[in-house]
Amino acid sequence: MSQQIEIFTIPSPCKRVCETDKQGYCLTCFRSRDERFSWLELSDEQKQDILRLCRQRALRKKYFLYQQQQQNLLQQSQSSEQLDLL
């Protein structure tokens, strides 16, 4: 079985805004420090795995922010109801 030659390399997901969260993941591309620094040495399969992990991290963060927003709305609603009772 012959190996297929890759015509296109997998580009870095870097957005050129390097800022990390408390867990050490980039806020824009969601890669860890090691994933960012070793990108050029990784195989395409490893890069695809990292991109999959980045998508999961992004979705997790989006869901967390959504939960926070819903909790804030609930707290505002409860505060408003308490003021109405006064």
Side-chain angles (χ1 to χ4, degrees):
M1 183 179 213
S2 65
Q3 239 181 350
Q4 185 176 353
I5 298 173
E6 290 291 326
I7 297 173
F8 302 104
T9 60
I10 298 175
S12 168
C14 183
K15 306 283 192 242
R16 307 287 185 247
V17 180
C18 296
E19 189 176 342
T20 58
D21 63 14
K22 292 177 186 176
Q23 291 79 29
Y25 294 108
C26 179
L27 294 173
T28 56
C29 73
F30 300 98
R31 291 182 297 166
S32 70
R33 183 175 198 261
D34 288 341
E35 291 166 347
R36 291 190 314 271
F37 288 170
S38 64
W39 186 260
L40 296 176
E41 288 83 36
L42 299 173
S43 70
D44 282 351
E45 185 176 339
Q46 290 170 312
K47 290 176 182 180
Q48 288 172 344
D49 287 341
I50 289 172
L51 291 175
R52 180 183 48 78
L53 289 171
C54 291
R55 286 189 294 274
Q56 290 175 349
R57 293 170 188 150
L59 288 172
R60 211 174 296 129
K61 181 172 182 172
K62 193 177 221 180
Y63 181 68
F64 175 75
L65 293 174
Y66 171 78
Q67 286 182 315
Q68 279 187 323
Q69 182 184 33
Q70 293 303 310
Q71 187 175 15
N72 289 341
L73 290 173
L74 180 61
Q75 288 173 348
Q76 289 173 357
S77 173
Q78 289 172 345
S79 294
S80 175
E81 287 174 6
Q82 288 174 350
L83 288 175
D84 289 343
L85 293 175
L86 296 175

XYZ file of all heavy atoms in Angstrom:
729
model
N 0.849 -1.181 0.000
C 0.000 0.000 0.000
C 0.895 1.244 0.000
O 1.744 1.416 0.856
C -0.893 -0.038 1.245
C -1.851 1.081 1.339
S -2.858 0.900 2.836
C -4.338 1.596 2.234
N 0.713 2.107 -0.953
C 1.534 3.313 -1.043
C 0.938 4.427 -0.197
O -0.260 4.516 -0.011
C 1.650 3.779 -2.495
O 0.394 4.178 -2.963
N 1.821 5.255 0.311
C 1.381 6.379 1.117
C 1.007 7.537 0.210
O 1.681 7.813 -0.780
C 2.512 6.813 2.036
C 2.151 6.753 3.461
C 3.304 7.223 4.334
O 4.416 7.422 3.874
N 3.022 7.387 5.592
N -0.086 8.192 0.555
C -0.528 9.342 -0.214
C 0.310 10.559 0.177
O 0.552 10.811 1.353
C -2.005 9.617 0.059
C -2.573 10.729 -0.786
C -4.071 10.883 -0.546
O -4.668 10.080 0.136
N -4.643 11.897 -1.119
N 0.739 11.292 -0.808
C 1.532 12.494 -0.558
C 0.587 13.635 -0.213
O -0.400 13.881 -0.909
C 2.372 12.873 -1.800
C 3.361 11.752 -2.113
C 3.087 14.193 -1.576
C 4.115 11.961 -3.407
N 0.906 14.307 0.888
C 0.103 15.458 1.289
C 0.502 16.670 0.454
O 1.666 17.047 0.417
C 0.321 15.769 2.779
C -0.269 14.750 3.705
C -1.789 14.749 3.715
O -2.392 15.820 3.557
O -2.355 13.661 3.871
N -0.467 17.246 -0.213
C -0.199 18.426 -1.030
C -0.240 19.694 -0.169
O 0.568 20.588 -0.326
C -1.218 18.530 -2.186
C -1.060 17.311 -3.095
C -1.040 19.815 -2.951
C -2.107 17.204 -4.172
N -1.183 19.729 0.754
C -1.354 20.901 1.599
C -0.945 20.561 3.029
O -1.321 19.531 3.558
C -2.810 21.370 1.591
C -3.312 21.709 0.226
C -4.153 20.844 -0.446
C -2.928 22.879 -0.396
C -4.615 21.152 -1.716
C -3.386 23.197 -1.657
C -4.235 22.321 -2.323
N -0.180 21.434 3.620
C 0.152 21.251 5.030
C -0.965 21.856 5.866
O -1.715 22.713 5.393
C 1.484 21.928 5.378
O 1.373 23.317 5.104
C 2.630 21.329 4.600
N -1.043 21.420 7.079
C -2.070 21.937 7.983
C -1.549 23.233 8.585
O -0.538 23.233 9.283
C -2.401 20.906 9.073
C -2.954 19.647 8.414
C -3.374 21.490 10.085
C -3.201 18.508 9.357
N -2.224 24.346 8.298
C -1.743 25.641 8.799
C -1.959 25.782 10.310
O -2.859 25.177 10.883
C -2.574 26.658 8.031
C -3.831 25.931 7.693
C -3.442 24.488 7.512
N -1.168 26.585 10.912
C -1.309 26.887 12.328
C -2.610 27.671 12.545
O -2.944 28.560 11.763
C -0.124 27.731 12.784
O -0.370 28.260 14.053
N -3.330 27.374 13.624
C -4.556 28.117 13.920
C -4.286 29.459 14.614
O -5.219 30.140 15.025
C -5.316 27.173 14.846
C -4.248 26.419 15.541
C -3.133 26.250 14.527
N -3.032 29.833 14.701
C -2.645 31.055 15.396
C -3.344 32.275 14.802
O -3.404 32.444 13.592
C -1.133 31.236 15.324
S -0.549 32.667 16.237
N -3.844 33.142 15.690
C -4.511 34.389 15.281
C -3.637 35.595 15.576
O -4.067 36.725 15.481
C -5.839 34.548 16.018
C -6.770 33.375 15.891
C -7.456 33.362 14.565
C -8.582 32.352 14.588
N -8.459 31.270 13.667
N -2.388 35.348 16.003
C -1.408 36.391 16.315
C -1.820 37.262 17.501
O -1.437 38.420 17.608
C -1.135 37.279 15.107
C -0.753 36.538 13.845
C 0.655 35.985 13.950
N 1.063 35.378 12.684
C 1.281 34.085 12.515
N 1.121 33.257 13.504
N 1.659 33.609 11.355
N -2.644 36.703 18.387
C -3.013 37.372 19.628
C -2.713 36.380 20.740
O -3.534 35.553 21.087
C -4.511 37.755 19.662
C -4.865 38.460 20.961
C -4.872 38.616 18.466
N -1.499 36.434 21.261
C -1.058 35.433 22.233
C -1.331 35.910 23.649
O -0.595 36.729 24.200
C 0.417 35.111 22.042
S 0.757 34.354 20.449
N -2.390 35.397 24.204
C -2.750 35.663 25.595
C -3.338 34.366 26.127
O -4.149 33.734 25.457
C -3.778 36.796 25.663
C -4.050 37.267 27.052
C -4.995 38.455 27.085
O -5.173 39.111 26.064
O -5.557 38.679 28.166
N -2.940 33.972 27.319
C -3.392 32.690 27.840
C -4.335 32.844 29.018
O -4.321 33.859 29.722
C -2.196 31.821 28.276
O -1.443 32.532 29.255
C -1.311 31.476 27.103
N -5.159 31.802 29.204
C -6.062 31.769 30.344
C -5.356 31.134 31.542
O -4.167 30.817 31.470
C -7.358 31.033 29.989
C -7.139 29.566 29.625
O -6.044 29.027 29.883
O -8.077 28.959 29.070
N -6.069 30.934 32.630
C -5.473 30.383 33.855
C -4.921 28.968 33.647
O -3.989 28.564 34.318
C -6.508 30.358 34.975
C -6.914 31.711 35.454
C -7.996 31.606 36.507
C -8.509 32.982 36.885
N -9.619 32.897 37.834
N -5.506 28.235 32.718
C -5.057 26.867 32.448
C -3.874 26.822 31.485
O -3.323 25.756 31.237
C -6.208 26.017 31.878
C -7.310 25.706 32.871
C -8.266 26.861 33.069
O -8.469 27.670 32.175
N -8.845 26.956 34.245
N -3.489 27.958 30.925
C -2.348 28.010 30.020
C -2.696 27.851 28.547
O -1.807 27.714 27.713
N -3.974 27.890 28.225
C -4.396 27.778 26.829
C -4.549 29.166 26.214
O -5.023 30.106 26.863
C -5.729 27.028 26.714
C -5.613 25.586 27.138
C -6.182 25.147 28.327
C -4.930 24.663 26.357
C -6.068 23.828 28.726
C -4.810 23.340 26.749
C -5.384 22.934 27.932
O -5.264 21.623 28.327
N -4.162 29.286 24.959
C -4.301 30.557 24.240
C -5.778 30.918 24.147
O -6.621 30.067 23.859
C -3.690 30.419 22.841
S -3.852 31.931 21.871
N -6.098 32.173 24.372
C -7.492 32.626 24.349
C -8.085 32.686 22.939
O -9.307 32.749 22.792
C -7.608 34.007 25.012
C -7.296 34.037 26.503
C -7.274 35.474 27.011
C -8.292 33.200 27.286
N -7.248 32.671 21.914
C -7.786 32.767 20.557
C -7.697 31.473 19.767
O -8.594 31.154 19.003
C -7.106 33.896 19.760
O -5.703 33.679 19.770
C -7.420 35.259 20.345
N -6.620 30.705 19.943
C -6.514 29.452 19.175
C -6.726 28.223 20.060
O -6.870 27.114 19.543
C -5.181 29.362 18.441
S -3.737 29.025 19.486
N -6.729 28.396 21.383
C -7.020 27.338 22.351
C -5.964 26.235 22.416
O -6.245 25.132 22.863
C -8.415 26.736 22.100
C -9.501 27.755 22.212
C -10.031 28.357 21.078
C -9.968 28.156 23.450
C -11.023 29.312 21.180
C -10.958 29.120 23.560
C -11.483 29.696 22.424
N -4.735 26.543 21.979
C -3.650 25.568 22.103
C -2.884 25.816 23.394
O -2.797 26.944 23.876
C -2.683 25.677 20.918
C -3.270 25.212 19.604
C -2.269 25.295 18.484
N -1.875 26.684 18.257
C -0.835 27.050 17.535
N -0.070 26.142 16.953
N -0.554 28.324 17.358
N -2.288 24.750 23.907
C -1.428 24.871 25.077
C -0.081 25.450 24.644
O 0.218 25.529 23.443
C -1.211 23.503 25.731
O -0.397 22.694 24.894
N 0.721 25.801 25.611
C 2.055 26.349 25.308
C 2.877 25.327 24.511
O 3.479 25.658 23.500
C 2.758 26.704 26.614
C 4.104 27.353 26.447
C 4.630 27.759 27.830
N 5.681 28.735 27.691
C 6.975 28.442 27.756
N 7.358 27.201 27.936
N 7.871 29.393 27.630
N 2.889 24.083 24.973
C 3.641 23.039 24.268
C 3.115 22.830 22.848
O 3.897 22.640 21.916
C 3.586 21.716 25.037
C 4.417 21.747 26.309
O 5.300 22.625 26.431
O 4.182 20.891 27.179
N 1.804 22.869 22.688
C 1.216 22.688 21.354
C 1.610 23.829 20.424
O 1.862 23.613 19.242
C -0.308 22.588 21.459
C -0.773 21.302 22.124
C -2.225 21.323 22.534
O -2.863 22.396 22.546
O -2.738 20.234 22.870
N 1.682 25.029 20.964
C 2.074 26.179 20.137
C 3.543 26.097 19.758
O 3.905 26.307 18.598
C 1.802 27.489 20.878
C 0.331 27.796 21.067
C 0.057 29.206 21.589
N 0.875 29.641 22.706
C 0.578 29.447 23.994
N -0.496 28.794 24.339
N 1.375 29.913 24.935
N 4.402 25.797 20.735
C 5.839 25.814 20.480
C 6.321 24.648 19.626
O 7.326 24.756 18.933
C 6.602 25.850 21.792
C 6.516 27.178 22.513
C 6.984 27.295 23.804
C 5.964 28.298 21.916
C 6.918 28.515 24.482
C 5.894 29.507 22.579
C 6.371 29.613 23.862
N 5.621 23.523 19.665
C 6.076 22.353 18.909
C 5.339 22.164 17.586
O 5.550 21.166 16.900
C 5.928 21.095 19.772
O 4.570 20.864 20.068
N 4.489 23.101 17.206
C 3.631 22.957 16.024
C 4.410 22.555 14.761
O 4.010 21.661 14.025
C 2.848 24.254 15.777
C 1.859 24.125 14.668
C 2.008 24.556 13.376
C 0.571 23.516 14.728
N 0.899 24.267 12.643
C 0.001 23.625 13.446
C -0.158 22.893 15.733
C -1.269 23.136 13.155
C -1.418 22.407 15.446
C -1.959 22.522 14.176
N 5.522 23.196 14.503
C 6.269 22.936 13.266
C 6.900 21.546 13.232
O 7.166 21.022 12.146
C 7.344 24.006 13.066
C 6.823 25.430 12.862
C 7.981 26.412 12.772
C 5.932 25.518 11.642
N 7.117 20.941 14.385
C 7.725 19.608 14.441
C 6.698 18.476 14.436
O 7.060 17.310 14.342
C 8.605 19.459 15.695
C 9.890 20.255 15.632
C 9.697 21.721 16.027
O 8.877 21.988 16.923
O 10.353 22.590 15.423
N 5.419 18.800 14.553
C 4.373 17.780 14.654
C 4.000 17.210 13.292
O 4.075 17.903 12.272
C 3.122 18.373 15.308
C 3.282 18.897 16.730
C 2.011 19.604 17.183
C 3.635 17.769 17.682
N 3.557 15.968 13.299
C 3.050 15.349 12.068
C 1.658 15.912 11.784
O 1.014 16.493 12.671
C 2.964 13.836 12.234
O 1.924 13.499 13.141
N 1.183 15.742 10.569
C -0.157 16.222 10.222
C -1.223 15.546 11.081
O -2.206 16.175 11.471
C -0.449 15.994 8.742
C 0.234 17.030 7.855
O 0.786 18.011 8.392
O 0.208 16.858 6.624
N -1.021 14.282 11.402
C -1.976 13.574 12.252
C -2.015 14.193 13.648
O -3.090 14.395 14.226
C -1.602 12.097 12.349
C -2.613 11.273 13.109
C -2.265 9.800 13.114
O -1.505 9.341 12.248
O -2.768 9.108 14.020
N -0.846 14.521 14.187
C -0.785 15.169 15.500
C -1.439 16.550 15.449
O -2.147 16.941 16.381
C 0.663 15.289 15.965
C 1.302 13.966 16.318
C 2.796 14.093 16.542
O 3.505 14.704 15.743
N 3.282 13.512 17.634
N -1.208 17.286 14.365
C -1.828 18.609 14.221
C -3.345 18.486 14.157
O -4.069 19.286 14.769
C -1.310 19.304 12.960
C 0.140 19.739 13.066
C 0.624 20.336 11.769
C 2.086 20.736 11.835
N 2.583 21.309 10.586
N -3.844 17.489 13.448
C -5.295 17.284 13.372
C -5.868 16.956 14.748
O -6.945 17.450 15.101
C -5.622 16.176 12.368
C -5.395 16.598 10.938
C -5.526 15.448 9.949
O -5.494 14.278 10.322
N -5.679 15.786 8.682
N -5.146 16.147 15.518
C -5.589 15.843 16.882
C -5.649 17.103 17.732
O -6.609 17.321 18.477
C -4.654 14.828 17.541
C -4.824 13.419 16.994
O -5.875 13.132 16.377
O -3.898 12.608 17.179
N -4.641 17.943 17.613
C -4.611 19.195 18.380
C -5.750 20.111 17.948
O -6.421 20.724 18.792
C -3.245 19.895 18.247
C -2.193 19.087 19.011
C -3.302 21.343 18.747
C -0.776 19.549 18.808
N -6.013 20.205 16.664
C -7.117 21.046 16.192
C -8.462 20.540 16.711
O -9.339 21.326 17.064
C -7.115 21.105 14.661
C -5.939 21.860 14.051
C -5.975 21.759 12.528
C -5.926 23.311 14.493
N -8.612 19.220 16.785
C -9.832 18.644 17.346
C -9.959 19.032 18.822
O -11.017 19.447 19.280
C -9.815 17.120 17.188
C -11.043 16.420 17.754
C -10.937 14.898 17.648
N -9.666 14.358 18.109
C -9.329 14.188 19.393
N -10.175 14.529 20.345
N -8.156 13.670 19.724
N -8.849 18.922 19.564
C -8.861 19.325 20.968
C -9.179 20.813 21.120
O -9.906 21.213 22.035
C -7.510 19.020 21.616
C -7.186 17.551 21.845
C -5.729 17.391 22.279
C -8.117 16.950 22.873
N -8.640 21.626 20.230
C -8.898 23.075 20.275
C -10.379 23.379 20.058
O -10.941 24.245 20.726
C -8.047 23.804 19.234
S -6.285 23.802 19.623
N -10.998 22.664 19.132
C -12.443 22.859 18.908
C -13.234 22.484 20.160
O -14.176 23.187 20.548
C -12.919 22.053 17.702
C -12.481 22.644 16.373
C -13.149 21.960 15.186
N -12.740 20.569 15.026
C -11.663 20.161 14.364
N -10.876 21.059 13.780
N -11.375 18.880 14.256
N -12.837 21.399 20.816
C -13.504 20.995 22.050
C -13.313 22.039 23.145
O -14.252 22.375 23.869
C -12.974 19.640 22.525
C -13.389 18.487 21.656
C -12.737 17.178 22.079
O -11.815 17.157 22.897
N -13.209 16.086 21.507
N -12.106 22.553 23.255
C -11.830 23.586 24.265
C -12.643 24.844 24.000
O -13.157 25.476 24.926
C -10.341 23.918 24.288
C -9.472 22.788 24.780
C -8.002 23.085 24.553
N -7.180 21.921 24.847
C -6.035 21.656 24.247
N -5.533 22.487 23.348
N -5.365 20.569 24.555
N -12.745 25.217 22.734
C -13.518 26.414 22.371
C -14.990 26.223 22.713
O -15.629 27.133 23.266
C -13.344 26.720 20.889
N -15.528 25.055 22.401
C -16.935 24.781 22.722
C -17.166 24.757 24.220
O -18.171 25.278 24.712
C -17.372 23.455 22.101
C -17.551 23.461 20.592
C -17.796 22.045 20.072
C -18.682 24.379 20.193
N -16.230 24.171 24.958
C -16.342 24.120 26.405
C -16.352 25.537 26.990
O -17.134 25.856 27.884
C -15.170 23.317 26.976
C -15.502 22.573 28.236
C -14.373 21.674 28.712
N -14.088 20.612 27.759
C -12.873 20.324 27.290
N -11.830 21.004 27.680
N -12.698 19.351 26.445
N -15.477 26.390 26.462
C -15.413 27.769 26.962
C -16.699 28.523 26.613
O -17.241 29.253 27.437
C -14.209 28.497 26.365
C -14.107 29.917 26.874
C -12.851 30.590 26.464
C -12.813 31.980 27.059
N -11.535 32.619 26.860
N -17.187 28.318 25.404
C -18.423 28.978 24.983
C -19.593 28.549 25.878
O -20.398 29.375 26.303
C -18.718 28.609 23.523
C -19.755 29.436 22.864
C -19.890 28.994 21.411
C -20.051 30.171 20.512
N -20.180 29.817 19.117
N -19.655 27.266 26.191
C -20.711 26.753 27.056
C -20.573 27.320 28.465
O -21.560 27.720 29.083
C -20.679 25.226 27.079
C -21.757 24.619 27.947
C -23.099 24.719 27.582
C -21.439 23.968 29.130
C -24.092 24.180 28.372
C -22.427 23.428 29.929
C -23.751 23.532 29.553
O -24.731 23.004 30.339
N -19.344 27.385 28.977
C -19.108 27.951 30.303
C -19.563 29.411 30.352
O -20.225 29.834 31.307
C -17.626 27.831 30.666
C -17.267 28.493 31.961
C -17.605 27.918 33.177
C -16.589 29.707 31.976
C -17.282 28.521 34.384
C -16.261 30.318 33.173
C -16.611 29.729 34.373
N -19.221 30.193 29.337
C -19.632 31.599 29.285
C -21.152 31.726 29.198
O -21.753 32.603 29.816
C -18.958 32.308 28.112
C -17.443 32.472 28.225
C -16.866 33.057 26.938
C -17.074 33.334 29.430
N -21.778 30.821 28.437
C -23.243 30.809 28.334
C -23.868 30.533 29.699
O -24.819 31.202 30.104
C -23.690 29.759 27.315
C -25.174 29.534 27.291
C -26.023 30.434 26.646
C -25.739 28.428 27.920
C -27.391 30.238 26.635
C -27.099 28.218 27.908
C -27.925 29.123 27.280
O -29.287 28.928 27.268
N -23.316 29.550 30.431
C -23.826 29.239 31.767
C -23.680 30.426 32.708
O -24.593 30.720 33.482
C -23.093 28.031 32.355
C -23.496 26.714 31.756
C -22.762 25.570 32.418
O -21.551 25.635 32.633
N -23.485 24.520 32.751
N -22.550 31.106 32.638
C -22.341 32.289 33.478
C -23.366 33.366 33.152
O -23.916 34.000 34.048
C -20.944 32.846 33.273
C -19.874 32.141 34.046
C -18.542 32.866 33.924
O -18.201 33.404 32.876
N -17.774 32.866 35.002
N -23.610 33.568 31.862
C -24.573 34.580 31.433
C -25.974 34.235 31.948
O -26.692 35.104 32.450
C -24.581 34.683 29.912
C -25.514 35.738 29.378
C -25.554 35.735 27.859
O -25.425 34.690 27.238
N -25.729 36.899 27.277
N -26.357 32.972 31.849
C -27.669 32.550 32.326
C -27.784 32.726 33.835
O -28.823 33.156 34.345
C -27.930 31.086 31.936
C -28.067 30.860 30.443
C -29.158 31.710 29.826
O -30.289 31.745 30.315
N -28.832 32.429 28.779
N -26.708 32.414 34.550
C -26.712 32.579 35.994
C -26.834 34.060 36.368
O -27.574 34.414 37.286
C -25.435 31.991 36.591
C -25.421 31.967 38.089
C -24.185 31.276 38.645
O -23.213 31.056 37.936
N -24.212 30.934 39.906
N -26.138 34.927 35.647
C -26.243 36.368 35.903
C -27.650 36.873 35.632
O -28.176 37.690 36.399
C -25.232 37.140 35.050
C -23.809 36.934 35.507
O -23.557 36.517 36.633
N -22.854 37.210 34.626
N -28.271 36.408 34.558
C -29.641 36.813 34.253
C -30.601 36.356 35.343
O -31.510 37.094 35.725
C -30.071 36.257 32.893
C -29.405 36.877 31.670
C -29.792 36.107 30.412
C -29.775 38.338 31.542
N -30.404 35.146 35.842
C -31.250 34.626 36.910
C -31.083 35.459 38.175
O -32.066 35.813 38.817
C -30.910 33.161 37.184
C -31.706 32.465 38.283
C -33.192 32.444 37.938
C -31.193 31.064 38.498
N -29.852 35.810 38.507
C -29.607 36.623 39.692
C -30.226 38.008 39.543
O -30.805 38.542 40.489
C -28.110 36.737 39.958
C -27.488 35.459 40.463
C -25.970 35.538 40.561
O -25.353 36.469 40.054
N -25.368 34.551 41.203
N -30.130 38.596 38.355
C -30.737 39.909 38.111
C -32.247 39.830 38.234
O -32.883 40.715 38.801
C -30.345 40.426 36.732
C -28.906 40.839 36.618
C -28.512 41.195 35.195
O -29.307 41.087 34.269
N -27.268 41.601 34.995
N -32.814 38.749 37.731
C -34.262 38.560 37.805
C -34.712 38.418 39.251
O -35.715 39.002 39.660
C -34.659 37.323 37.001
O -36.019 37.027 37.180
N -33.969 37.656 40.026
C -34.306 37.473 41.438
C -34.170 38.782 42.205
O -34.993 39.096 43.052
C -33.425 36.388 42.051
C -33.752 35.000 41.557
C -32.754 33.958 42.015
O -31.657 34.282 42.474
N -33.118 32.692 41.874
N -33.147 39.570 41.904
C -32.970 40.867 42.555
C -34.113 41.800 42.215
O -34.622 42.524 43.072
C -31.644 41.500 42.133
O -30.565 40.749 42.600
N -34.516 41.774 40.966
C -35.627 42.619 40.506
C -36.928 42.211 41.205
O -37.706 43.081 41.621
C -35.780 42.491 38.997
O -36.902 43.190 38.551
N -37.154 40.935 41.365
C -38.366 40.449 42.033
C -38.369 40.872 43.503
O -39.401 41.239 44.045
C -38.451 38.927 41.934
C -38.798 38.440 40.542
C -38.739 36.922 40.413
O -38.538 36.224 41.437
O -38.877 36.440 39.286
N -37.183 40.845 44.134
C -37.098 41.242 45.531
C -37.392 42.731 45.672
O -38.057 43.151 46.616
C -35.730 40.912 46.092
C -35.501 39.430 46.300
C -34.072 39.114 46.735
O -33.208 39.980 46.704
N -33.857 37.872 47.123
N -36.919 43.551 44.737
C -37.193 44.989 44.780
C -38.676 45.248 44.568
O -39.240 46.165 45.171
C -36.367 45.717 43.739
C -34.869 45.828 44.024
C -34.145 46.479 42.841
C -34.620 46.635 45.285
N -39.309 44.465 43.715
C -40.745 44.640 43.465
C -41.569 44.341 44.706
O -42.633 44.927 44.910
C -41.218 43.738 42.322
C -40.698 44.200 40.964
O -40.260 45.358 40.865
O -40.735 43.396 39.995
N -41.086 43.450 45.550
C -41.805 43.103 46.768
C -41.731 44.207 47.810
O -42.551 44.292 48.700
C -41.254 41.794 47.356
C -41.500 40.520 46.525
C -40.801 39.327 47.173
C -42.999 40.259 46.410
N -40.707 45.057 47.697
C -40.548 46.153 48.670
C -41.494 47.231 48.306
O -42.195 47.894 48.688
C -39.123 46.680 48.650
C -38.052 45.695 49.086
C -36.674 46.336 48.902
C -38.234 45.291 50.534
